[in-house]
């Protein structure tokens, strides 16, 4: 796997795991958010940043939900079963399914990268430095 892919994967794991809790918190808890989420504490996020991240995450989730998957029928495994059952290799159907998966994955990657870029605009320079340090550590462990 190339370095950019590893970095993107590490960033996804690090940031999405921490911010998922921030985005899913409904505010009905007795404890302040900063005491509940280790990532919020780790990066010393302000309540304003947490709210901005919640909004950003919600917007990204809405964009992800709009990804067109109509050309993905029953997945590659389902297609493979259909081909095995028919006893005939269907080159066109296989290529169409792979292209549909690729297109959906490409759109999802685009939205994730856009999310991380917009997220970086919310963070202070110190928080960005901490994220970079965390990513570097994650990369060394892989």
């Amino acid at each position: 796997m190339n370095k950019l892919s590893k970095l993107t994967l590490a960033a996804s794991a690090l940031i999405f795991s921490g911010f998922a809790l921030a985005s899913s918190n409904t505010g009905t808890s007795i404890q302040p958010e900063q005491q509940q989420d280790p990532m919020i504490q780790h990066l010393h996020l302000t309540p304003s940043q947490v709210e901005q991240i919640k909004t950003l995450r919600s917007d990204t989730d809405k964009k992800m939900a709009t990804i067109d998957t109509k050309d993905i029928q029953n997945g590659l495994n389902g297609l493979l079963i259909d081909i095995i059952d028919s006893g005939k290799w269907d080159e066109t159907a296989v290529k169409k399914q792979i292209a549909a998966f690729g297109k959906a994955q490409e759109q999802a990657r685009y939205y994730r990268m856009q999310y991380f870029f917009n997220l970086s605009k919310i963070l202070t320079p110190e928080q960005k430095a901490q994220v970079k340090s965390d990513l570097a550590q994650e990369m060394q462990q892989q």
Side-chain angles (χ1 to χ4, degrees), residues 60-117:
T60 301
D61 288 346
K62 288 175 187 171
K63 289 177 183 177
M64 295 288 268
T66 66
I67 293 173
D68 184 10
T69 58
K70 73 176 186 292
D71 290 335
I72 300 173
Q73 295 164 0
N74 55 356
L76 288 176
N77 290 337
L79 177 61
L80 181 58
I81 290 170
D82 292 346
I83 290 171
I84 291 170
D85 284 345
S86 73
K88 295 180 183 178
W89 178 252
D90 189 344
E91 186 80 17
T92 304
V94 170
K95 286 184 176 183
K96 184 178 177 184
Q97 278 294 307
I98 290 171
F101 273 111
K103 183 178 176 184
Q105 288 175 342
E106 180 181 309
Q107 289 174 324
R109 283 188 189 112
Y110 176 84
Y111 290 138
R112 281 193 294 271
M113 290 187 76
Q114 188 178 51
Y115 170 83
F116 288 123
F117 173 75

Side-chain angles (χ1 to χ4, degrees), residues 39-58:
M39 188 58 67
I40 292 173
Q41 287 180 312
H42 179 67
L43 292 177
H44 306 289
L45 296 174
T46 66
S48 173
Q49 286 175 311
V50 171
E51 288 305 314
Q52 289 175 326
I53 291 167
K54 283 182 183 181
T55 301
L56 180 60
R57 180 64 188 260
S58 175

